[in-house]
Each structure stands twice: as structure tokens, then as C-alpha cells.
Amino acid sequence: MRVTVVAGPDPGHAFPAIALCLRLLAAGDRPTLLTGVEWLDTARAAGVDAAELLGLDPDDSDDDADDGAKLHRRAARMAVLNAPVIRELAPDLVVSDVITVCGGLTAELLGLPWVELCPHPLYRPSRGLPPIGSGLAPGTGLRGRLRDSLMRALTARSIRQGDRQRAEARLGIGLPARDPGPRRRLIATLPALEVPRPDWPAEAVIVGPLHFEPTTAVLEVPPGPGPLVVVAPSTATTGTAGLAEVALQSLVPGETLPVGARLAVSRLGGAEVPVPPWAVVGLGRQDVLLRGADLMICGSGHGIVSKTLLAGVPLVLVPGGGDQWEIANRVVRQGSGRLIRPLGGDALVSAVTEVLSSPRYRAAAQAAGESVSGVTDPVQVCQDAIR
């Protein structure tokens, strides 16, 4: 099976796409990744054929102040640009990242089957949930259900506007206004991070998190008998700034951390920071760090949160924008961690102390990780989509 996987350059979307390509390769399929140029060499080094996704840079017609226009109008333009590329690849299936909408549009233009890759829980609106992004649990009782209904009504106008913008963009490139949607949706998350809903789409399948390590380097953790605390600042542009700096300044072994504790700050890049002797800072494999970790401090992106839970490690979450508030609150309700906002040294120390001292957080994290046993193989879902 030849598969073209389309994803933008944000690490939270490009890395799961690379991980899916590796799963397809292992199954004997032939994937090609279309993504931003910054990850082409990384994908190729991992053994994945990769090419540039055209049209990622905005042009004069794009309105980045309007999220709907940014998502749909640019996607339509990119679909036209990338159609010759995908036609030349002659895939049996196109996999399109959930926010890289052009992949699905291109597949429709070419008459190809396609599936959607959601590298996080299902965020589609539901008649049984409060609006996604609120971080709220579904309301219970009359007052709770009324609250959710009112909140859904307040967001319905924006949803309708987005639907109109999508229809206009589709008509502009010769597609029908009505969006038929993908044949399948790969929901690449842990069941423990999902929320039950009465209107789960028939085409949506939970396939478990898709993780990719962009490096082979392993950070050398300073020796010590105390707990290992891993810090992973957000890779998203909407993430909380300064997490590494605050952690390095406020978490001190023998003062605010147990004697012999160590810190490992794993990040893709950033400004130089003073590194105390009990810490290490740099780009290193997070899966290796998590094998010996006692706690993760991170910005609540789905990738690092699900990776941490798979390792059975509890969290202290410092959410930024985007879906991070939603993810963080789901983790708190599940019992695997604490949430702090805004970021501050005292708040961070308090949360870290509580999570390290209470075994219930680790027990909940282990239970969340074990929920992966109930997921479906994403390669099998892709194969089923073209039968």
C-alpha cells in the first residue's frame, strides 16, 4: 500500500506523522511524508521518504488574524499546489493531519480515499460535552447540563462561520460545498485522555499515541540518590515561556527538592541558561529519560503528556494556549498530576513537592498508560479504509 502522509511543520503534528510513517514501513507499506522543510532531513534519517509540503508560507491573500480563513482558505490554495505532487506519488491512500486540511482536500481533488490523523483526543463538538478547550468535565444534573447547553450555544456561531468558510474554500477549488469528511479518523491518544460522548463518530478509531524522537542523543543525568525530575518546555508557539528557567532557579536539591535530586531539561532549542551542577539541559531522547524519571514538568502538549503517561510517570502541568488547558484538566481529573497557572517559582515548588510525596499520582499515571492496551493498530485502520 502506497500512502502519502501530509502534516505541517509544528512538532506536535510533524512528529506523529513521522511515527505513523515508521509504523507503515514496519508493516511493509510505502509511505511518503509531505511536511515542512525543517523536518525533511530528520524524517529521511529515520528511513522515511519525505518531500516539501508546498504553500506553507503565507501569501498576500492570507488573513492570519482570522483562524477560519487561515485554516480553510490557505488549505484550499495548498491543495491546488500539492495536487501534482501527490498525483505523481500515486498513493492508494492519503493521510491528512487534522489541522493540515489541505491533505484531505487534495485527496478529494484527485479522487483518492483519505483518512484524518488527530494527534490528540477527538476535539470535534459534541451534544454531550462542554465546548472543547474549556477544560470542564461534562456537566451533571440539571444545572450542569444547562451550563453545557449555554456554552455550546455561545460557540455555535463560530462553528457555523467556520463551516461557511470551509464551504467557500471548497467551492473555490471546484469541490462540492458539502464536506463528506474522511473515511476514518485516527485518534492518536490514550483512552484515559478521552471523554465519553453520546455521539462518537462511527469513523473515529482510537489508535494510541504516535511518538517520534527527533534525536538519537541521550542526556547524561548527573549522579545522585534522589528523584529525577524531567522538564520539557512546550514546543508550541502558544506554550508557556520560561518554564526551564523557573524550574532551574526554584528547584534546588536539599532546599526545595529532596537531597540528591536531579533535573534534566529536554528541549529542542532555546536561549542559553545557567545550568547548576545537579542539572543537565539539552536535546535528548525523552523516552530514555522517562525510564528513570520520578516526575515530569511540562507544558501540557498532548505529545509529551501521553509519552509521560505511557511511562507511568506523574506530571506537573503548566499549560499555555491551544489545547493545552483542555489536556491539563483531563490529566488532573484522571489523577495523574497537578496543574499550575500562572507559572511561578512558589507554585511550581508546591506542586512538585505534593506530586513527589504522594504515590497516588504515580498509580494514576500507570493506570492511564495501561489504557493503551485497548487501542487499535493504526496501520490496520488505514488498510481497512481502502477496502
Side-chain angles (χ1 to χ4, degrees):
M1 177 175 66
R2 295 185 302 275
V3 184
T4 299
V5 180
V6 179
D10 184 281
H13 296 266
F15 290 177
I18 295 174
L20 177 61
C21 287
L22 291 172
R23 295 280 288 272
L24 290 162
L25 275 172
D29 296 310
R30 290 178 286 171
T32 300
L33 174 68
L34 299 187
T35 190
V37 294
E38 54 265 64
W39 299 118
L40 296 183
D41 288 344
T42 300
R44 291 165 182 161
V48 174
D49 288 337
E52 180 183 359
L53 179 62
L54 303 177
L56 283 168
D57 293 331
D59 67 13
D60 294 339
S61 68
D62 290 325
D63 180 6
D64 280 1
D66 185 331
D67 287 341
K70 178 180 177 181
L71 181 66
H72 302 301
R73 190 179 302 154
R74 185 181 299 174
R77 174 171 57 80
M78 290 175 63
V80 174
L81 287 173
N82 287 282
V85 179
I86 295 180
R87 181 185 292 112
E88 181 69 21
L89 291 170
D92 302 297
L93 179 72
V94 173
V95 178
S96 183
D97 175 77
V98 64
I99 65 169
T100 316
V101 180
C102 66
L105 294 177
T106 307
E108 286 190 63
L109 286 173
L110 299 176
L112 296 169
W114 71 283
V115 303
E116 184 178 79
L117 172 59
C118 302
H120 47 58
L122 179 65
Y123 289 157
R124 294 181 67 78
S126 167
R127 68 174 185 270
L129 301 178
I132 299 298
S134 68
L136 295 170
T140 58
L142 179 60
R143 293 180 63 181
R145 292 192 295 272
L146 178 61
R147 178 206 68 183
D148 291 353
S149 296
L150 291 174
M151 293 182 69
R152 288 194 297 270
L154 291 172
T155 60
R157 180 180 178 183
S158 295
I159 293 172
R160 289 194 298 270
Q161 180 182 357
D163 290 342
R164 287 194 298 270
Q165 290 172 324
R166 189 176 183 91
E168 290 170 3
R170 291 174 57 84
L171 288 170
I173 59 174
L175 291 174
R178 189 185 70 82
D179 186 351
R183 292 192 179 185
R184 299 286 188 278
R185 300 183 197 274
L186 306 176
I187 312 301
T189 192
L190 288 167
L193 290 175
E194 265 300 352
V195 179
R197 57 173 73 202
D199 46 8
W200 183 269
E203 77 278 3
V205 185
I206 299 179
V207 297
L210 292 167
H211 296 141
F212 171 72
E213 296 288 342
T215 181
T216 58
V218 176
L219 291 178
E220 186 174 345
V221 178
L228 172 59
V229 177
V230 179
V231 182
S234 176
T235 61
T237 56
T238 56
T240 299
L243 179 57
E245 292 80 358
V246 172
L248 289 167
Q249 292 168 8
S250 59
L251 300 176
V252 180
E255 296 180 17
T256 55
L257 285 178
V259 173
R262 290 82 36 78
L263 262 69
V265 180
S266 172
R267 61 182 191 175
L268 288 174
E272 293 293 327
V273 294
V275 183
W278 59 83
V280 61
V281 178
L283 175 60
R285 292 188 63 101
Q286 293 173 334
D287 55 350
V288 174
L289 284 173
L290 284 166
R291 291 172 196 164
D294 296 278
L295 174 68
M296 167 63 79
I297 303 171
C298 63
S300 311
H302 176 266
I304 189 61
V305 167
S306 58
K307 188 186 298 184
T308 302
L309 292 176
L310 277 172
V313 175
L315 305 105
V316 169
L317 302 160
V318 189
D323 68 340
Q324 294 191 10
W325 180 250
E326 180 73 31
I327 292 290
N329 278 279
R330 292 188 184 194
V331 170
V332 170
R333 292 199 299 270
Q334 190 271 335
S336 293
R338 283 280 309 274
L339 181 161
I340 60 172
R341 184 190 261 186
L343 173 63
D346 290 343
L348 184 61
V349 168
S350 175
V352 166
T353 300
E354 179 180 340
V355 175
L356 283 176
S357 63
S358 177
R360 65 184 177 90
Y361 291 101
R362 178 172 283 275
Q366 291 171 340
E370 290 167 359
S371 71
V372 77
S373 63
V375 305
T376 304
D377 178 13
V379 175
Q380 184 65 54
V381 177
C382 288
Q383 292 171 344
D384 289 345
I386 63 173
R387 289 178 181 152

